[in-house]
Amino acid sequence: GNSVTQMEGPVTLSEEAFLTINCTYTATGYPSLFWYVQYPGEGLQLLLKATKADDKGSNKGFEATYRKETTSFHLEKGSVQVSDSAVYFCAFWNNAGNMLTFGGGTRLMVKP
Amino acid sequence: NAGVTQTPKFQVLKTGQSMTLQCAQDMNHEYMSWYRQDPGMGLRLIHYSVGAGITDQGEVPNGYNVSRSTTEDFPLRLLSAAPSQTSVYFCASSKSGTRNGYTFGSGTRLTVV
C-alpha cells in the first residue's frame, strides 16, 4: 500500500553540521512530495515541495530532490542551526485517498 | 491573514462526553481535512472534504463526524469520547491538494480521562 518511510530519530547534531534525513515512499504514479516542519508546540508548516521527477525543492537552506528511480526525497541542509531543532515530516499527495500520507516524523536536535 | 484557525487549543473531556472541535479558514480553500497526531505514528487522516456539502472518510474515521456547510468551516465532532481519542488534532486546508499540500492550523490537544 501507499506509505512513507523516514529515518527514525532523534537525530542529534552540533551547530553547523551537515544534515540528511532520509525519506522513501511507496505510491502509484508520481505524486507530489513534501517536507513539513513542526516546531515545539506548533502546527505543521510546509518547508518545501517538489511536484515532478528531478525537481529540487528548497527553502531556508534546506533542499530535497525528487528521485523517481529510487522513490526517495531526502532532506539535506549544509549547516544546521539551533533554531532548526524540530520534527520533520516527509509526505506525499495520495491521489487515491485525496490526502497527504505522512511518514512518522524525525526529531532533529541541534546543540550549540 | 488568519489562515487556519482551530479552537479550542486544549480540552479535557470525560469518557462518554461529546464535543466539537472548530476549524475555520479564510483562504477560500476547497480542500479541508482533519488529522490526528499520535506519538510515533505520524499524522493520520480522520475525515476530509473537497468542497462545501461534500465529506468523506479517511484512515481513522470511527468515533468522529464532520460536516461542511460552508467553504470556511469544517467542524469535527466527537460523539462519545474515549481515552483512545486522546491526541493532538490538526485541521488543514488546501486550494487544491495535489500540488500545494496543506496549510495546517496550530492544533487542539485533547485529553480524554
Side-chain angles (χ1 to χ4, degrees):
Chain A
N2 297 320
S3 64
V4 177
T5 302
Q6 57 181 109
M7 59 191 296
E8 292 188 18
V11 174
T12 303
L13 296 174
S14 297
E15 207 164 23
E16 300 184 359
F18 185 86
L19 168 71
T20 299
I21 300 178
N22 291 336
C23 170
T24 57
Y25 65 92
T26 301
T28 55
Y30 302 108
S32 295
L33 303 176
F34 306 88
W35 275 101
Y36 281 84
V37 59
Q38 184 179 31
Y39 298 104
E42 299 184 10
L44 279 74
Q45 302 174 24
L46 179 63
L47 180 60
L48 54 83
K49 66 179 181 181
T51 58
K52 61 182 187 296
D54 300 324
D55 266 4
K56 177 184 284 187
S58 61
N59 186 26
K60 300 181 180 180
F62 291 90
E63 294 183 339
T65 301
Y66 192 141
R67 303 286 188 199
K68 68 176 183 178
E69 303 84 5
T70 54
T71 61
S72 64
F73 193 53
H74 304 322
L75 182 69
E76 295 181 336
K77 187 175 185 182
S79 177
V80 295
Q81 305 301 312
V82 172
S83 58
D84 293 327
S85 298
V87 181
Y88 293 81
F89 291 93
C90 184
F92 72 88
W93 183 257
N94 184 341
N95 281 316
N98 272 315
M99 58 185 278
L100 277 174
T101 295
F102 286 90
T106 301
R107 181 175 300 277
L108 171 65
M109 295 188 294
V110 181
K111 298 186 175 181
Chain B
N1 189 2
V4 179
T5 302
Q6 290 185 237
T7 56
K9 291 190 180 300
F10 301 94
Q11 183 70 49
V12 179
L13 289 179
K14 294 183 179 179
T15 297
Q17 286 184 316
S18 63
M19 79 160 294
T20 299
L21 279 63
Q22 302 292 343
C23 175
Q25 53 91 8
D26 62 356
M27 299 172 283
N28 200 32
H29 285 172
E30 292 96 349
Y31 282 64
M32 295 187 76
S33 295
W34 278 101
Y35 285 83
R36 59 178 289 173
Q37 183 180 26
D38 301 295
M41 300 187 73
L43 282 85
R44 293 180 293 169
L45 181 67
I46 304 170
H47 286 285
Y48 68 96
S49 168
V50 298
I54 306 169
T55 64
D56 208 344
Q57 296 180 349
E59 301 170 278
V60 288
N62 292 341
Y64 308 94
N65 273 355
V66 292
S67 60
R68 184 96 180 270
S69 57
T70 67
T71 298
E72 294 78 19
D73 299 300
F74 191 45
L76 177 72
R77 297 182 186 85
L78 279 70
L79 309 173
S80 176
S84 61
Q85 294 178 304
T86 294
S87 187
V88 181
Y89 292 85
F90 289 101
C91 179
S93 74
S94 174
K95 186 67 174 174
S96 170
T98 303
R99 291 180 177 272
N100 299 324
Y102 273 111
T103 298
F104 281 82
S106 58
T108 296
R109 183 174 294 276
L110 175 68
T111 302
V112 182
V113 298

